[in-house]
């Protein structure tokens, strides 16, 4: 079993190096498309190029989820049926569980694995107690509180030769990806990790919203104060992953038992593209 990762990234220079170092511990290959970084992200990624990390190219066009399909279709020939693709290896996520061990335990009847977010938030108390450098590896131990309910969405799919994935605007994953497993892998998510990073994120998203009125970032906070939370609203991270797995989870994807049986049959007969 091999694991291939697809990373879309833009202006994440403070964290992407750390994430890639962690991801190459369990990924066989990581393919990276940079969506027009201007903060040194692309140069850092290029400096990390090795047998695992492949800086594929830059694309300065508008962001679209279908960019992941471009990466997949370029490199899919390297994988074999049964291998796994991490189709959204996000530059601000670190896995709390070893994906290689986790995926090896997934029964063959499942083709899709979802994450459960441990979404760390910067708090007002954090700013009072700590000095943040803006460099993730220096600041990570200061981030100890996360939000509930936990968000859940797909992260891995099992490769089949007849999978089809077009690069349309909303094509986040392949058509007929399959049946998702009831087990969710825990992921530490650091979307808002320092005052400096939040300010840059707000500035970048503001520019995006000006160019694209239907941007997915239109609900982002507009000031640092809007992005901060109080510790009383959050849960303290004590490292007990089994306890976190019992917390409430939000997920848009629903699975119908009857449809799952039909999907399983079609996949077994190699008729489900």
């Amino acid at each position: 079993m091999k694991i291939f990762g697809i990373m879309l990234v833009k202006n994440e220079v403070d964290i992407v190096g750390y994430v890639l170092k962690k991801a190459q511990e369990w990924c066989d290959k990581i393919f990276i498309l940079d969506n027009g970084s201007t903060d040194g992200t692309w140069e850092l990624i290029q400096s990390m190029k090795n047998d695992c990390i492949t800086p594929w190219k830059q694309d300065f066009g508008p962001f679209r989820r279908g960019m992941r399909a471009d990466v997949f279709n370029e490199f899919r020939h390297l994988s074999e049926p049964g291998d796994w693709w991490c189709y959204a290896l996000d530059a601000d996520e670190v896995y709390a569980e070893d994906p290689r061990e986790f995926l090896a335990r997934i029964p063959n009847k499942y083709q899709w694995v979802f994450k459960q977010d441990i979404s760390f938030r910067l708090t007002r108390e954090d700013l009072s107690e700590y000095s943040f450098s803006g460099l993730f590896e220096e600041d990570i131990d200061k981030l100890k509180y996360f939000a509930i309910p936990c968000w859940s969405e797909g992260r891995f799919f099992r490769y089949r030769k007849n999978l089809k994935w077009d690069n349309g605007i909303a094509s986040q994953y392949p058509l007929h990806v399959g049946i998702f497993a009831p087990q969710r892998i825990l992921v530490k998510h650091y979307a808002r990790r320092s005052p400096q990073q939040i300010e840059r994120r707000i500035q970048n998203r503001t520019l995006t919203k000006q160019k694209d009125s239907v941007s997915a970032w239109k609900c982002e906070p507009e000031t640092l104060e809007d992005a901060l939370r109080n510790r009383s609203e959050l849960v303290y991270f004590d490292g007990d992953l089994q306890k976190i797995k019992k917390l409430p989870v939000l997920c848009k994807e629903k699975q119908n038992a009857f449809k799952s049986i039909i999907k399983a049959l079609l996949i077994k007969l190699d008729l489900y593209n």
Side-chain angles (χ1 to χ4, degrees), residues 12 21 56 71 102 121 130-131 134 146 151 210 219 262:
E12 301 276 14
K21 282 189 289 186
W56 183 39
V71 182
F102 188 96
R121 297 297 182 87
Y130 306 120
S131 175
F146 65 96
W151 176 248
Q210 290 173 351
C219 297
I262 300 300

Side-chain angles (χ1 to χ4, degrees), residues 33-242:
L33 191 159
D34 182 279
N35 194 201
S37 292
T38 56
D39 68 344
T41 292
W42 183 235
E43 290 75 15
L44 173 61
I45 291 170
Q46 288 179 308
S47 74
M48 297 180 69
K49 181 180 179 180
N50 57 30
D51 290 341
C52 176
I53 298 171
T54 300
W56 183 39
K57 68 176 182 179
Q58 282 190 296
D59 185 332
F60 287 85
F63 170 80
R64 52 186 174 79
R65 290 187 173 90
M67 287 177 171
R68 293 190 177 97
D70 293 337
V71 182
F72 172 74
N73 288 315
E74 178 73 17
F75 296 103
R76 63 180 298 166
H77 66 280
L78 299 175
S79 56
E80 297 289 339
D83 289 340
W84 289 93
W85 281 79
C86 180
Y87 66 89
L89 180 59
D90 283 358
D92 57 5
E93 292 185 347
V94 180
Y95 281 77
E97 302 177 87
D98 184 334
R100 188 167 293 276
E101 295 180 2
F102 188 96
L103 295 171
R105 297 194 298 267
I106 299 298
N108 288 333
K109 63 181 178 179
Y110 301 118
Q111 297 81 36
W112 202 6
V113 167
F114 279 53
K115 72 165 182 172
Q116 179 178 336
D117 233 16
I118 308 172
S119 185
F120 288 91
R121 297 297 182 87
L122 191 66
T123 71
R124 294 178 177 87
E125 294 90 340
D126 292 337
L127 294 189
S128 298
E129 293 181 15
Y130 306 120
S131 175
F132 284 80
S133 69
L135 300 174
F136 181 70
E137 291 191 58
E138 296 180 6
D139 294 334
I140 183 173
D141 291 336
K142 302 165 188 173
L143 300 166
K144 302 175 181 178
Y145 291 83
F146 65 96
I148 55 171
C150 303
W151 176 248
S152 178
E153 63 183 20
R155 276 297 176 268
F156 295 89
F157 64 80
R158 201 190 297 267
Y159 181 72
R160 306 192 306 273
K161 284 189 175 180
N162 60 351
L163 275 179
K164 294 181 180 178
W165 191 359
D166 68 51
N167 63 356
I169 292 174
S171 298
Q172 188 169 354
Y173 43 78
L175 183 67
H176 304 316
V177 67
I179 305 167
F180 62 79
Q183 305 94 326
R184 292 184 173 93
I185 188 166
L186 289 175
V187 177
K188 297 177 181 178
H189 188 195
Y190 296 96
R192 299 171 189 172
R193 51 192 176 268
S194 73
Q196 299 92 327
Q197 178 264 338
I198 291 173
E199 294 281 11
R200 289 195 302 271
R201 183 181 176 94
I202 290 171
Q203 183 180 22
N204 290 335
R205 300 319 184 211
T206 299
L207 292 173
T208 300
K209 288 188 286 187
Q210 290 173 351
K211 297 177 182 178
D212 180 5
S213 61
V214 296
S215 169
W217 305 104
K218 59 187 176 184
C219 297
E220 285 285 302
E222 296 185 357
T223 67
L224 173 60
E225 177 59 28
D226 291 339
L228 297 176
R229 300 284 291 272
N230 296 321
R231 288 179 180 173
S232 59
E233 305 172 80
L234 305 172
V235 175
Y236 179 76
F237 180 74
D238 62 5
D240 188 340
L241 301 185
Q242 294 307 311

Side-chain angles (χ1 to χ4, degrees), residues 254-261:
K254 304 298 180 183
Q255 195 150 259
N256 179 280
F258 176 74
K259 289 182 178 179
S260 293
I261 294 172

